[in-house]
Amino acid sequence: MRIATWNVNSLKVRLERVQDWLLYAQPDVLCLQETKIADKDFPFLSFLEMGYESVHHGTGRYNGVAILSRVGLKDVQVGFPSHIINDDDEYKTSIQECRIISANCAGIEVSSIYVPNGRSISSQHYQAKLAWLKTLHDYINDSFSAQDQIAICGDFNIAPQDKDVWDPALFIGATHVSEPERQALQNLQNWGLHDGFRKCYSQENLFSWWDYRAGNFHKHHGMRIDLILLSNNLIEKVNFSLIDRNQRKGKLPSDHAPVFVDIQL
DNA sequence: ATGGTTGAGAATCAA
């Protein structure tokens, strides 16, 4: 079972690239983020033609998440369940943005998530990011048990460790590396969800995102913020993982590369 | 140089 995740930064611009990659990488499940299109414009039929069922949660312009699967797709949950969200939550609006969709694919509980960026530590957007991450934890804790097979895939907008950042000194006091964000990730790990990529690699400077600006990709200035978190019963069966950085190259790339894990079921 | 680039969508906003 190959499970992949890719922030495509507009599916309209990236559709042909995504289709090419499906043929090339042959994932069984592909989670997409930042589709930036509305449900009515999502190319369900194009993916179905290629053997992939799909579900999408988006309103256009911002955000937008999807799951594609060629091994089945059922029990779809669009957004967070309403009972997880507090009516008086200060950040309710952010929590209800199109940033999560979940489904059961061949017995695995798959979520495609796009964690808020946070912009800067001093901003309300950062507080909304922390609130969103808390809601994610609540959702997982409420919906799943440690015995379930779970894959939480997506753009976390968090670099788990300093070795996941090209120059940690530059990011002191910045989002993506702050202690509260990393603690939120640690809380998921404590719950029983583990970084699939790190099962296979311990090296530093292996990135999944590079800013479009200043030739950062060519200078190897990136971060690893696209993660696949797996339950214990899946992480022990991981036998391969890869960030396909070739997809950051060439004409019209996303600023993120796809990441996948292979699980020997 | 409060810089650099991309996408959505029509002037900025978000990343």
Side-chain angles (χ1 to χ4, degrees), chain A residues 6-19 32-44 46-47 56 58-64 66 212 251-254:
Chain A
W6 196 359
N7 179 322
V8 291
N9 187 20
S10 168
L11 187 57
K12 277 178 192 161
V13 175
R14 232 65 69 191
L15 180 57
E16 193 178 335
R17 193 180 265 269
V18 169
Q19 290 173 320
L32 301 176
Q33 301 87 36
E34 280 206 272
T35 59
K36 294 183 172 177
I37 59 177
D39 290 336
K40 67 176 175 60
D41 298 320
F42 189 83
F44 297 101
S46 302
F47 292 132
H56 179 254
T59 54
R61 184 146 200 193
Y62 301 121
N63 313 315
Y212 284 123
K251 191 166 174 256
L252 290 177
S254 169

Side-chain angles (χ1 to χ4, degrees), chain A residues 117-129:
Chain A
N117 174 288
R119 303 193 197 180
S120 67
I121 299 285
S122 59
S123 78
Q124 286 297 98
H125 298 281
Y126 176 73
Q127 296 305 322
K129 180 181 194 174

